[in-house]
Amino acid sequence: MNSTLDALVRCIAVLLVFLVFPLVIGQTEHKVMAHMQGRLGPMYAGGFHGWAQLVADGVKFAQKEDVVPAGADRRIFQLAPAVALLPYLLALVAIPLGPNDLVGQGVDAGLFFVLAVMGVGVLGSLMAGWASANKFSLLGGIRTAAQLMAYELPMLLAAASVAMAAGTVSLTGILGAFHWWWVPWQIVGGFVFFVSGLAELQRPPFDMPVADSEIIFGAYTEYTGLRFALFLLSEYAGILVVSALTAVLFLGGWHGPMADSLGWLWMLLKTFALAFLVIWIRVTYPRLREDQLMRFAWTVLIPLSLAQLALTGIVKVVIS
């Protein structure tokens, strides 16, 4: 009975995090971009500091008509938003929030599990582009596939470097083996992992698959109302997962002063600091061209990740 209750409490906690934190990141993006770019709209709704902007967006999406194109593959078209969103819920289950088993469900191969389900999330964009019966959507879906192939490899290599250093692919095991001197040692891998995560989420400056000035909105062009809102929510959920996973692998996760009692707070602070960096990058850098985007992956990130992996192997041999 106690084990069943414990599992139920953990599931509810993960679900609450999944439902609340992406919305917080979305609201934060509105405000941060408003301050950095002098935007008035997001600061207006509801009066003080535009506190009701998120509510206004939700009402707007709920009121819009749910349209399915006549030539679309209806079932796949309707299923794509769920495929894009739900994998991030599964990923959150295995990411530790703090010490003393403060995790939804400990998975022995947690690193492989999280990276695998994150890869599934990108399939939602491919399904949306293919099923929409729209050439702009199809082009966006093809760009998504090319981008996934290019940036998945450096992301996996960077994560493998940390797993090699810790001697385990369990996320809780990696945190258990963490030492602070890992931060400068693995900093190149952290850069590669974080940038690859942004590219997989199609966040600026890697948002060529949804380039509104060229292909309207890529794979999501034909989506309206709540289905379109689910795609936006999956983007913010992806920011949460990528930031949390980067914090666990490269910044020590819950490690910090008084970690036994405040470990969860350190984990949240690191996660939201990285999420803020994601927003900051969006308003700072212009969009890369498609050729620049692919060249950056194959000629910069992959060599860096291989160099980091080699350095980790050398350090492990020297230490042992």
Side-chain angles (χ1 to χ4, degrees):
M1 180 64 181
N2 290 334
S3 61
T4 303
L5 181 61
D6 179 66
L8 181 61
V9 170
R10 289 172 185 265
C11 289
I12 293 175
V14 171
L15 184 61
L16 287 176
V17 168
F18 177 73
L19 292 176
V20 174
F21 282 20
L23 296 179
V24 172
I25 293 174
Q27 178 78 341
T28 302
E29 182 169 59
H30 277 111
K31 304 309 172 188
V32 170
M33 292 180 65
H35 281 293
M36 289 185 173
Q37 297 183 329
R39 298 185 177 192
L40 299 179
M43 309 301 287
Y44 181 80
F48 176 72
H49 214 69
W51 64 269
Q53 181 62 49
L54 192 65
V55 178
D57 286 341
V59 173
K60 175 187 69 176
F61 284 125
Q63 288 179 332
K64 286 188 174 181
E65 183 180 3
D66 181 19
V67 178
V68 179
D73 188 322
R74 192 176 186 89
R75 289 188 177 181
I76 295 181
F77 183 88
Q78 294 173 337
L79 185 62
V83 174
L85 180 62
L86 291 181
Y88 296 115
L89 171 61
L90 297 177
L92 283 175
V93 171
I95 297 178
L97 179 61
N100 305 319
D101 199 30
L102 190 58
V103 59
Q105 176 61 51
V107 180
D108 291 338
L111 180 58
F112 288 157
F113 173 78
V114 172
L115 292 176
V117 296
M118 285 175 62
V120 172
V122 182
L123 293 178
S125 299
L126 299 177
M127 293 170 60
W130 180 81
S132 293
N134 180 302
K135 61 183 179 182
F136 297 110
S137 298
L138 181 59
L139 181 57
I142 293 173
R143 285 181 172 180
T144 298
Q147 192 160 312
L148 170 65
M149 292 176 61
Y151 284 89
E152 187 79 8
L153 182 56
M155 191 176 192
L156 290 173
L157 291 173
S161 174
V162 179
M164 181 189 296
T168 178
V169 291
S170 166
L171 293 178
T172 53
I174 289 173
L175 286 175
F178 176 81
H179 299 283
W180 282 111
W181 58 271
W182 282 14
V183 175
W185 170 30
Q186 297 287 340
I187 192 67
V188 173
F191 168 78
V192 171
F193 186 89
F194 188 66
V195 171
S196 299
L198 291 185
E200 286 207 5
L201 296 175
Q202 302 163 41
R203 290 285 300 182
F206 305 101
D207 59 336
M208 186 55 71
V210 292
D212 53 297
S213 58
E214 298 180 19
I215 51 177
I216 308 175
F217 210 71
Y220 319 125
T221 298
E222 296 292 349
Y223 282 86
T224 60
L226 290 178
R227 297 189 197 280
F228 182 75
L230 288 179
F231 278 117
L232 292 182
L233 185 61
S234 70
E235 181 177 326
Y236 293 125
I239 293 174
L240 175 64
V241 170
V242 168
S243 299
L245 195 56
T246 304
V248 167
L249 295 177
F250 299 97
L251 297 178
W254 46 260
H255 284 277
M258 302 176 63
D260 288 338
S261 57
L262 296 179
W264 61 272
L265 180 59
W266 288 114
M267 178 63 183
L268 290 180
L269 287 175
K270 293 173 184 178
T271 299
F272 279 99
L274 290 169
F276 176 82
L277 183 59
V278 173
I279 299 169
W280 194 355
I281 290 172
R282 173 177 180 175
V283 299
T284 303
Y285 293 100
R287 178 183 298 131
L288 296 174
R289 295 197 314 265
E290 187 68 19
D291 62 310
Q292 293 172 329
L293 187 147
M294 302 303 291
R295 188 185 308 117
F296 183 67
W298 292 104
T299 64
V300 178
L301 294 186
I302 290 179
L304 284 177
S305 60
L306 289 172
Q308 177 67 72
L309 199 60
L311 175 62
T312 301
I314 294 171
V315 172
K316 286 288 287 184
V317 170
V318 171
I319 292 176
S320 62

